[in-house]
Amino acid sequence: MRRFLYLKAQNYISNIGKRRRNQCLSEQIFSQFREWIDNRHEYAKAWKERMGNKVMGYFCTYVPEEILYAADILPVRILGSHEPPTVTEPYIFAMYCHFCRDCLAQGLRGKFNYLDGIVEGQSCLHLRQAFNGWRLHIPIDFAYYIYVPHGIQTPRAAPYYVHELAKFKHELETWTGKKITDQDLDRGIQILNRNRELMKKITEYRKADPPRLTGLEAMEMTLSSQMVDKTEHNKLLEQLLQELPNRRREGKADIRLMIIGSEDDDRVFMKNVEDLGATFVVDEHCTGTRYYWNNVKPQEDRLKAIAERYINRVPCPSKDWPELTRVQHAANLAKEYGVNGALIIQNKFCDPHGIEIPPLKDALNKVGVQTYPLEFDVTVPWGQFRTRVEAFLETLTGLEELF
Amino acid sequence: MTVTSQVKEYPSEQLKCWEQAKNLRKNYYEDYLHAHEKGGLRWAGGAWSFSSIPAGLGEDVYCVTGEPYGATIAFFKDFAAKCHDATEAAGFPRTLCAYMRNYWGSILLDKFVLTDGSVVDGYPAPDFIWQDHICCSHAKWYQLVRWLEKQRGKEVPMYSVDVSVGYPDDFAPEEDYKVNYIADQLSDGIDWLEKVSGRTYNDKLLCDAVWNEMRSTSLWAEVCSLNQAVPAPLDEKSMYSLYVLGTLMKHRPECAAFYETLRDEVKDRVKRGIAAVPLERFRVITDTQPPWGFLRIFREMEKYGAVSVGSLYTFGLIGMWQYQPDGTWIPKPLPAQKPRTREEALQAIVRWTMHKPEWAHFYQPELKTKMMESIVKQWKVNAVLLHYNRGCEGLSVHIAENRHGLIEAGIPVFPFEGNMGDERDFDLSGTMARLTAFFESTGLKKLKE
């Protein structure tokens, strides 16, 4: 018996040690994601110098990165800085979302001056203006617009999109002087699929109570994926996947929140909300799960395989009609991840997302999830938002205290 | 009234076909409202939709197009305010498309407004939705109509056609895969229409409707083209009441017939030197939809002898145009022959519509700037009034780039902010004060009070 207790104690101590090591390694990995985001421009410049290849800025996640990887081009997503984008006033009317204006502002301020090209995969009118503003006012070697279909629920969309992808591939070949073979496309597909698959697996650990990673950490994982070489990112994701089963987060279980809406890379907001005693256990953003939820299903015709992935992925609301499939997807996620409440983020002036707010609220309420809307602008008035979010969190916990 | 004596005054008279236009519009809404009483069908969709396709279901199929209905609501500001309140109370952001919010508000209030401002109880739900999608809000608008109707216990089937394939080159054939993408959706749509209506589709009616649509849109461009004359036979405020017929029923024979009558009358006005604005001495064009509740700004402009001879919006939303090799912009001539089969009709209407001038700016601001420059040159325009329209994200897209382009071309530009459908976003006195200053900076003085 004594021997048994001794072994049990040894095992316990050993597990603590393992957990600490795990804690340490996973912290390092999350810290690396954070560093990549904070130093995205330095990273891209260094990559370019190291690899001798081109770097392409893209605006929307409808850009088929698989083809860029096949062409040995590093795709980096153009995101904003959350500083007032006053420099864009002459180029984009201020009734368009702050995100598109903030993106263009980065170009006008020279933050992305290392880019060799820019590409936009047709999505909303807002980002289209950022793309065209960039094309017209910032010297760039290559600017390409892919007419990604909007009618993704029609069977006609995928065959049409194959034509568009073939044109894009051809333009890249002409620009780089390098033929993109089927093997190249396979490599591109494999890198992207692996990245998405790993992030999706890691997301599973957000189901735990408490979740093995915070909403902020999850956001930083995805954002960094959009900024760095995915082969490097995949290595860290693989390690993280090994570490997460043993990762324990201190403290009591928080309120389980979901965050839903347009593009959102506001890390400060995520942290501030999570500091109030909540954890974002899942999201529905193009800077979150929507980016990696669906993989390319390989088939003989590579471009067809890629086209079908982008047609069948969790859609941006701008393409999601006549059925409201994203709304249902969000409700399913909420259920699956044991969500107590959802913050619906509306980037001011974003029509596609704004239109869906009442149906989204309705769908979430039907699965027992309360919602709270917040309108985001370029800067977030945290003082005011804090009071509102706290009040919302109280409504999610108040009943228990009463009874 | 005092008029400065040395300014030339042109003869002016009211359009003879004015009442006919008013009646066509009035009957249009009433026909939709009473369609079921006559055993007919009602459909809803945008003014941009391929309205000639549902025409193949029969001659008793009536529609209400969304944008003109949203504009009608906007004109009646009290009712519009109630619509805005209703949509905001339902949880929609107030920054969304103003027409769309007006339209949803009408459903939420369960009221329907007619062209004379009378409000009818009970929103007449459509039997089906037939829409297209180029702007972020187009298909989403009707997706939500469908959702709102569902909340009221009615299932409304919806079909929408994606047309976001870019703008074709003026002097090269349209790319077949793009044409086929749209035409195939229309073909699928015909099968869908048969299914949801339970009717057999009539290809002959389709061919007629397609041909009517081509005639209407080419004829309207001819009418606009006649406004190159000095003095302008039409002013833009009047043109709004005329082009609207094309936004309501471009596929109907009565629309094509009316535009023929109108074209002949305007031709005659040009021949006789009849002016829309007797004191015309300064010609402007505007851009995007006007703030509908404040059309009196056009009357204020007339006091300076300024006439708006149109806009790319009034010319190109319904009118079809094409560039000549010498760079002039002319009404698009009809194809050599009327389509005879379903396939021919679908191909023809897609190839025709792809050149819609109001599609161009969605992709490249330079295309719109070029068209506006052509209008300035050919219509002898002195300045451009750019309406930065908070109510329409589709037509305001790239407007700041257009401002740059026009200024670079040496054209005086007056930008002003407003909203076509939500009066809360328009400052009439502020805008008029700035416009006055702009006119005075060009040397214009007020001619009458």
Side-chain angles (χ1 to χ4, degrees), chain A residues 290-306:
Chain A
R290 203 188 309 156
Y291 178 62
Y292 56 79
W293 212 248
N294 309 86
N295 258 350
V296 174
K297 290 179 185 148
Q299 53 179 294
E300 187 55 32
D301 183 339
R302 276 74 168 177
L303 292 184
K304 188 163 174 263
I306 295 170

Side-chain angles (χ1 to χ4, degrees), chain A residues 119-251:
Chain A
V119 59
E120 169 61 342
Q122 177 160 270
S123 52
C124 61
L125 299 178
H126 304 254
L127 276 180
R128 202 174 301 182
Q129 290 179 103
F131 169 80
N132 276 319
W134 202 298
R135 176 175 66 79
L136 292 169
H137 305 291
I138 301 162
I140 194 86
D141 193 32
F142 179 90
Y144 193 86
Y145 187 87
I146 309 170
Y147 294 92
V148 182
H150 282 314
I152 54 166
Q153 292 179 24
T154 151
R156 306 293 181 175
Y160 164 79
Y161 192 34
V162 171
H163 280 281
E164 281 296 314
L165 291 182
K167 273 169 94 171
F168 178 52
K169 176 174 163 277
H170 175 74
E171 288 298 317
L172 285 178
E173 287 172 336
T174 309
W175 181 48
T176 58
K178 177 188 176 288
K179 178 98 185 130
I180 301 171
T181 64
D182 277 353
Q183 288 67 41
D184 293 328
L185 287 172
D186 288 341
R187 192 180 69 254
I189 290 170
Q190 194 272 330
I191 293 168
L192 265 290
N193 270 359
R194 185 69 185 143
N195 193 246
R196 292 187 283 239
E197 188 183 286
L198 288 165
M199 288 199 283
K200 201 170 171 184
K201 279 184 182 164
I202 287 166
T203 304
E204 283 288 304
Y205 287 98
R206 298 172 78 180
K207 285 181 180 166
D209 194 13
R212 300 282 203 273
L213 61 160
T214 66
L216 174 64
E217 288 167 339
M219 178 183 268
E220 289 177 335
M221 169 185 79
T222 320
L223 285 176
S224 57
S225 159
Q226 298 180 347
M227 293 166 180
V228 304
D229 187 333
K230 285 183 168 54
T231 53
E232 278 184 69
H233 199 257
N234 285 346
K235 283 177 194 158
L236 282 201
L237 291 176
E238 271 158 16
Q239 285 182 46
L240 184 60
L241 202 55
Q242 297 293 316
E243 303 301 321
L244 279 182
N246 297 311
R247 190 183 194 215
R248 293 283 178 274
R249 287 178 55 231
E250 302 302 324

Side-chain angles (χ1 to χ4, degrees), chain A residues 90 95-96 122 125-126 128-129 132 135 137 147 150-151 156 163-164 167 317 320 322-323 351 355-356, chain B residues 92 136-137 139-140 143-144 146 162 164 166 175 177 188 362-363 366 389 393 396-398 400-401 404:
Chain A
M95 69 164 268
Y96 294 91
Q122 177 160 270
L125 299 178
H126 304 254
R128 202 174 301 182
Q129 290 179 103
N132 276 319
R135 176 175 66 79
H137 305 291
Y147 294 92
H150 282 314
R156 306 293 181 175
H163 280 281
E164 281 296 314
K167 273 169 94 171
D320 195 28
E323 304 302 328
D351 278 21
I355 289 168
E356 287 193 356
Chain B
F92 294 102
C136 283
S137 302
K140 302 298 287 180
Q143 182 179 47
L144 260 289
R146 191 181 175 203
D162 175 21
S164 59
E175 292 171 279
Y177 80 96
D188 296 345
F362 280 99
Y363 306 104
E366 306 97 303
N389 182 356
E393 118 179 348
S396 291
V397 72
H398 293 126
E401 295 290 359
H404 271 291

Side-chain angles (χ1 to χ4, degrees), chain A residues 291-352:
Chain A
Y291 178 62
Y292 56 79
W293 212 248
N294 309 86
N295 258 350
V296 174
K297 290 179 185 148
Q299 53 179 294
E300 187 55 32
D301 183 339
R302 276 74 168 177
L303 292 184
K304 188 163 174 263
I306 295 170
E308 285 175 357
R309 187 267 163 189
Y310 285 87
I311 298 298
N312 298 324
R313 57 167 269 193
V314 178
C316 168
S318 68
K319 296 180 188 292
D320 195 28
W321 45 264
E323 304 302 328
L324 287 157
T325 68
R326 185 194 72 111
V327 163
Q328 196 46 54
H329 170 72
N332 293 344
L333 282 181
K335 220 167 143 184
E336 215 179 308
Y337 282 75
V339 167
N340 306 125
L343 290 181
I344 299 178
I345 303 305
Q346 164 66 0
N347 272 355
K348 194 172 181 180
F349 304 118
C350 174
D351 278 21

Side-chain angles (χ1 to χ4, degrees), chain A residues 352-363:
Chain A
H353 280 84
I355 289 168
E356 287 193 356
I357 290 175
L360 181 60
K361 195 179 161 199
D362 185 54

